[in-house]
Each structure stands twice: as structure tokens, then as C-alpha cells.
């Protein structure tokens, strides 16, 4: 397998997110975000870690963008911290925050790296969370104001945009299960947040289309093949519900199909009580690319004790299959199948893998991190993409998660996903063997 097998136009890049790398939580006029607040709550984040400093990318961005270049990637995906632009989420913009993203973009362009902006990667301004965050109707007006501002400010220089990162990720973890910021729970919160997010992803895209000439607009969905644990009818139905929720729930409204209510009575009941769920047109947008992010397949079995979904994950560890340090199953065939599942929607014409990667128990020994498992992981997952491409599926890019070890949300600094090792005490970066593997792969 060579880089050239993917075609000359294939976009190779790395993905990052503001809250995970920037640090400078109280610097440069940035307002607090829900992750700043959430991380102060005891027991919410492993070992009490906080995103305050993270990788200090805020001050070290030049060196870090140089690393992107050294590794041979063409694209740098980063997100804008909404609270750096609007410290209170809306109203008065913050000059220092605005200037910071100009510096990043300019540095990318100077180093001949293509900047790709994610507008929302989970770090909602705390002030908006106080008003209900994504569950509140007012969030859409604030989001649109923020998107319009960014489009006008950066649209001349940046053409590649991702509106929202993994709507299912933050609405489920943050508003249903309470294990991510803002720590809310309950099905009602989830459905409210989901509706406003589905509107935001299309509204945001429409604003970009109107404001940014030659924009290439995408949005990024998490996806996981859902595999029934046994052949029983109950397990199959449980898997179908999980698939509806995890894979179909946010993409189908975008494609003009509305929420997939017909396939799950709970959704249908909720839709009846929320007439806005029928507002299909507002949730629809013809994206230039659909971003897919895959980390694991999910094996599920029926469980009557789990409210609403009545399905339960059978963990990779207990099934004794190969898995990462996160306990996520390594299964490149499943990656291939989930790409095919999304490609089967006739209106999805262009898929970009906007995140994929793995955490392992990396150790810095001398100046080396020997992460052979990660190299093997990338080799297998890239093969899966190639297979899909050879069958005619239009996959146009791959962004590895992630440039360097960072603040991995509720896992704190423990989970290391980077191609570059970060020593969080000294902020010393060391390219891992997998980083060198990429360098070699991309240079041919
Ligand atoms: C998120 C990243 C996260 C990664 C690994 C993705 O769902 O977009 O922010 O670090 O998964 O957990």
C-alpha cells in the first residue's frame, strides 16, 4: 500500500480540537467553557485533570504546525473555541481571540498547510450553558451569530469547514449520560439538545455557503458498526435501535429524510410531542462532504433494565478481542463496513474520514516512543479505506486523530492518541515511531 494508491487529490491531515490542545483557559480574554466548569467538579475527570494548560498550543502553535509539516500532512484540522471569539457566547466579540485564530491560519498558509476549521468541537461557552445550553431554543440564534462572525472574519483565507463535531457524541455523553460536560442527564435533555444540534448543523452550513466563496463544507459524524451479540431476535432488535440512534439519527435529517422515527417507537412518540421535529427542510443541507469518524464497532445485546434503548454494550475486553488502551475494539473490517453503510445513502457523494486513531499505553524511553501497535492499526485502517475506494466509494481524505497527546475529555491526560508524544510537565514534544511511519508513508 502506497500513498499514491489513494490518488493525487486525496487529502491527508491531522485533526485536533481547541479544548484538547490550546490550554490558556483564562488567557487572551477567553470566557469559560462548559469543560472549564465541568473539570472543576470532583470525580468527573480522571485523576482530577483539567484542560487549563492542555498542550499549551495557544503559545506553541508555530512549532506544532511545523510538526504537521514535518510529518508530511497537508491538512491541519483545528477547532475554534467559541468562548475565545464571544466570551459570553454572544454579544461583544473578543479581539485577542479573533487575532489568535488569524495567527494559526496565517501560520498554516505560511507553511503551506491547508487549514480546516471545525466550528463546534464540544466547548460551549459556559454563559450559554447557564441558559440551558443545547437544550435551550435560544442556542440556535447564538450559534448562527457565532458562525456568521467566523465566516466573515476567516472566510477569505479558509475554505474548508466542518460545522459540528460528532453531534451524537456530545449530546449523548453530555446531555443524556452526564459523563461529559455539561453533565446533564435524561432522555428529554438529549432529545432537546439533539433537535437544536440538528438545526444548527444545517443552519451553520447555509451561513457558510452564503458567506464564503468556494467554501468546501462538511460536518462530522461519529459512526460505529452495530453488531448483535447473538442471532436472537431480541439482540437484533436491540442492535437496530442502537444503529438508529448512533448512526442514523443525525445524518438522516441532513439528507432531507427527517429523524428516523419510523424505525423506533420511542422516537415516534417524541416526535409527536415536538412538532418542530417535522421541520425537515431547516435541518437539510447538501454538504460538500460528509465527515465520518470511526473508533470502534459496538457489540450489543438486549437488556430490559436499560431505560428506553434496552440495549447493552458487550465490551471488547470481555469478548477478549484486540482492543486499544480505551478498551475499544480494533477491527478494520468493521471500519470498511460502516463506510459502506454511509456510502449507501444515495445523496452522500463524498466521504472524508475526519477522525480515526487509537490510544495505547505509550512510554517515552530516552527520546523514543515505540508504538508499533499504532502503526499496525493505521496500516489496517488505511487498507480498509483503500478497499472501499477500489469498490467505487468516493472517500476523498483521511485525517488522523491526532497530532499530539492531549486532554482526552473525561479521560484527562491519561489516554494518549497522538502521533507525537507530549510530556505534560515540560510540554516537550517527541515524534513517536508512528509519526515517523506517517512521514515515510506520505513522502513516497
Ligand atoms: C472526538 C475527539 C476525541 C476522540 C477520541 C472523538 O469522538 O471527536 O475529540 O478525542 O473521539 O476519544
Amino acid at each position: 500500500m502506497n500513498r499514491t494508491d489513494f490518488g493525487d487529490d486525496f487529502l491527508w491531515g491531522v485533526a485536533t480540537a481547541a479544548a484538547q490542545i490550546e490550554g490558556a483557559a483564562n488567557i487572551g480574554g477567553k470566557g469559560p467553557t462548559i469543560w472549564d466548569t465541568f473539570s472543576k467538579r470532583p470525580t468527573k475527570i480522571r485523576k482530577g485533570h483539567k484542560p487549563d494548560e492542555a498542550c499549551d498550543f495557544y503559545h506553541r502553535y508555530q512549532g506544532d504546525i511545523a510538526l504537521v509539516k514535518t510529518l508530511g500532512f497537508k491538512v491541519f484540522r483545528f477547532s475554534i473555541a467559541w468562548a475565545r471569539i464571544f466570551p459570553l457566547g454572544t454579544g461583544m466579540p473578543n479581539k485577542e481571540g479573533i487575532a489568535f485564530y488569524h495567527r494559526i491560519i496565517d501560520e498554516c498558509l505560511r507553511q503551506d498547510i491547508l487549514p480546516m476549521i471545525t466550528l463546534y468541537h464540544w466547548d460551549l461557552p459556559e454563559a450559554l450553558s447557564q441558559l440551558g445550553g443545547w437544550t435551550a431554543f435560544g442556542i440556535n440564534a447564538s450559534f448562527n451569530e457565532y458562525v456568521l462572525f467566523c465566516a466573515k472574519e476567516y472566510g477569505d483565507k479558509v475554505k474548508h469547514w466542518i460545522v459540528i463535531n460528532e453531534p451524537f457524541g456530545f449530546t449523548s455523553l453530555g446531555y443524556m449520560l452526564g459523563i461529559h460536560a455539561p453533565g446533564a442527564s435524561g432522555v428529554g435533555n438529549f432529545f432537546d439538545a439533539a433537535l437544536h444540534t440538528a438545526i444548527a448543523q444545517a443552519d451553520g452550513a447555509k451561513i457558510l455557503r452564503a458567506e464564503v466563496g468556494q467554501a468546501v463544507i462538511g460536518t462530522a459524524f461519529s459512526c460505529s458498526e452495530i453488531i448483535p451479540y447473538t442471532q436472537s431476535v431480541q439482540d437484533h432488535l436491540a442492535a437496530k435501535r442502537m444503529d438508529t440512534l448512533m448512526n442514523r439519527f443525525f445524518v438522516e435529517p441532513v439528507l432531507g429524510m427527517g429523524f428516523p422515527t419510523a424505525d423506533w417507537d420511542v422516537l415516534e412518540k417524541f416526535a409527536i410531542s415536538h412538532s418542530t421535529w417535522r421541520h425537515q427542510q431547516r435541518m437539510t443541507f447538501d454538504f460538500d462532504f460528509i465527515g465520518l469518524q470511526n473508533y470502534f464497532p459496538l457489540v450489543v445485546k438486549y437488556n430490559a433494565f436499560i431505560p428506553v434503548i434496552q440495549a447493552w454494550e458487550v465490551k471488547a475486553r470481555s469478548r477478549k478481542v484486540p482492543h486499544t488502551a480505551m478498551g475499544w475494539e480494533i477491527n478494520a473490517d468493521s471500519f470498511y463496513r460502516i463506510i459502506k453503510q454511509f456510502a449507501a445513502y444515495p445523496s452522500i457523494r463524498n466521504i472524508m474520514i475526519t477522525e480515526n486513531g487509537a490510544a495505547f499505553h505509550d512510554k517515552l524511553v530516552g527520546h523514543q516512543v515505540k508504538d508499533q501497535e499504532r502503526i499496525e492499526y493505521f496500516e489496517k485502517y488505511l487498507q480498509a479505506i483503500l478497499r472501499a475506494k477500489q469498490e467505487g466509494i468516493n472517500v476523498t481524505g483521511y485525517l488522523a486523530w491526532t497530532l499530539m497527546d492531549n486532554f482526552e475529555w473525561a479521560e484527562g491526560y491519561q489516554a494518549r492518541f497522538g502521533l507525537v508524544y507530549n510530556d505534560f510537565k515540560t510540554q516537550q514534544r517527541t515524534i513517536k515511531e508512528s509519526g515517523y511511519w506517517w512521514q515515510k508513508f506520505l513522502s513516497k
Side-chain angles (χ1 to χ4, degrees), residues 80-87 92-94 97-98 101 146 149-150 154:
I80 293 183
W82 185 343
R84 251 186 226 294
I85 304 292
F86 290 108
M92 218 24 195
N94 166 38
I98 298 163
Y101 293 107
Y146 159 66
F149 187 90
C150 293
Y154 305 119

Side-chain angles (χ1 to χ4, degrees), residues 20 121-122 165-166 293 295 328 355 401 408-409 417:
Q20 296 183 269
H121 200 130
W122 303 1
N165 182 73
E166 294 193 2
Q293 318 201 145
Y295 288 92
W328 296 348
E355 277 185 31
W401 186 266
E408 174 53 33
W409 309 115
F417 277 87

Side-chain angles (χ1 to χ4, degrees), residues 237-258:
L237 290 175
K240 193 172 174 194
R241 287 192 295 277
M242 197 64 105
D243 181 53
T244 306
L245 191 63
M246 287 184 70
N247 294 317
R248 300 175 51 200
F249 196 67
F250 286 96
V251 73
E252 293 192 2
V254 157
L255 303 177
M257 301 162 73

Side-chain angles (χ1 to χ4, degrees), residues 14 85 122 157 159 181 184 188-189 219 241 249 262 278-279 323 339 368 373 382 384 441:
V14 281
I85 304 292
W122 303 1
K157 298 194 271 194
K159 299 300 168 192
N189 278 328
T219 199
R241 287 192 295 277
F249 196 67
R278 311 285 186 197
H279 288 186
H323 54 268
I339 294 173
Q368 277 187 322
E373 289 166 294
L382 293 184
F441 177 76

Side-chain angles (χ1 to χ4, degrees), residues 55-358:
C55 307
D56 193 31
F57 175 78
Y58 186 80
H59 296 108
R60 295 165 198 264
Y61 67 93
Q62 279 177 309
D64 290 336
I65 295 169
L67 277 170
V68 177
K69 180 93 184 163
T70 303
L71 297 183
F73 291 101
K74 180 74 194 157
V75 180
F76 180 54
R77 174 186 167 199
F78 62 95
S79 74
I80 293 183
W82 185 343
R84 251 186 226 294
I85 304 292
F86 290 108
L88 297 177
T90 173
M92 218 24 195
N94 166 38
K95 281 202 185 110
E96 275 185 81
I98 298 163
F100 170 61
Y101 293 107
H102 274 298
R103 290 200 292 280
I104 296 184
I105 295 164
D106 293 345
E107 189 60 26
C108 284
L109 298 176
R110 200 179 67 77
Q111 299 200 34
D112 196 24
I113 300 283
L114 191 104
M116 186 183 286
I117 290 181
T118 312
L119 282 160
Y120 186 74
H121 200 130
W122 303 1
D123 47 354
L124 188 72
E126 175 60 31
L128 294 178
S129 197
Q130 294 297 320
L131 303 174
W134 285 100
T135 64
F137 179 66
I139 191 73
N140 287 110
S142 307
F143 183 71
N144 291 355
E145 179 189 341
Y146 159 66
V147 175
L148 181 64
F149 187 90
C150 293
K152 282 187 190 297
E153 187 68 37
Y154 305 119
D156 285 348
K157 298 194 271 194
V158 178
K159 299 300 168 192
H160 290 75
W161 297 79
I162 289 176
V163 181
I164 289 185
N165 182 73
E166 294 193 2
F168 180 73
F170 76 88
T171 53
S172 63
L173 299 171
Y175 288 91
M176 180 158 55
L177 302 173
I179 53 181
H180 272 198
S185 51
V187 178
N189 278 328
F190 167 72
F191 282 136
D192 286 343
L195 171 64
H196 300 134
T197 304
I199 290 173
Q201 71 188 355
D203 275 5
K206 288 169 194 169
I207 293 169
L208 289 168
R209 180 65 81 230
E211 294 296 326
V212 180
Q214 283 132 34
V216 182
I217 307 167
T219 199
F221 300 104
S222 51
C223 61
S224 283
E225 186 194 15
I226 310 293
I227 304 166
Y229 185 54
T230 71
Q231 290 308 316
S232 74
V233 174
Q234 282 187 323
D235 283 358
H236 268 272
L237 290 175
K240 193 172 174 194
R241 287 192 295 277
M242 197 64 105
D243 181 53
T244 306
L245 191 63
M246 287 184 70
N247 294 317
R248 300 175 51 200
F249 196 67
F250 286 96
V251 73
E252 293 192 2
V254 157
L255 303 177
M257 301 162 73
F259 287 111
T261 48
D263 277 336
W264 188 11
D265 54 348
V266 171
L267 294 183
E268 182 56 32
K269 274 188 213 137
F270 201 80
I272 290 166
S273 59
H274 283 61
S275 58
T276 39
W277 272 41
R278 311 285 186 197
H279 288 186
Q280 291 189 10
Q281 222 178 338
R282 185 158 173 202
M283 296 188 283
T284 304
F285 184 77
D286 186 16
F287 278 97
D288 298 316
F289 67 91
I290 291 293
L292 293 188
Q293 318 201 145
N294 174 261
Y295 288 92
F296 47 80
L298 215 68
V299 173
V300 301
K301 69 174 180 185
Y302 171 71
N303 185 330
F305 295 106
I306 307 298
V308 190
I309 186 102
Q310 298 197 309
W312 187 246
E313 181 192 355
V314 188
K315 300 264 188 208
R317 283 196 182 100
S318 69
R319 289 182 286 116
K320 301 198 171 31
V321 292
H323 54 268
T324 69
M326 299 286 279
W328 296 348
E329 179 174 347
I330 301 172
N331 186 338
D333 290 336
S334 158
F335 180 43
Y336 158 80
R337 287 192 293 267
I338 195 73
I339 294 173
K340 284 197 80 163
Q341 180 174 327
F342 274 73
Y345 290 106
S347 44
I348 296 188
R349 296 178 308 273
N350 179 350
I351 290 175
M352 195 184 300
I353 306 303
T354 40
E355 277 185 31
N356 170 244

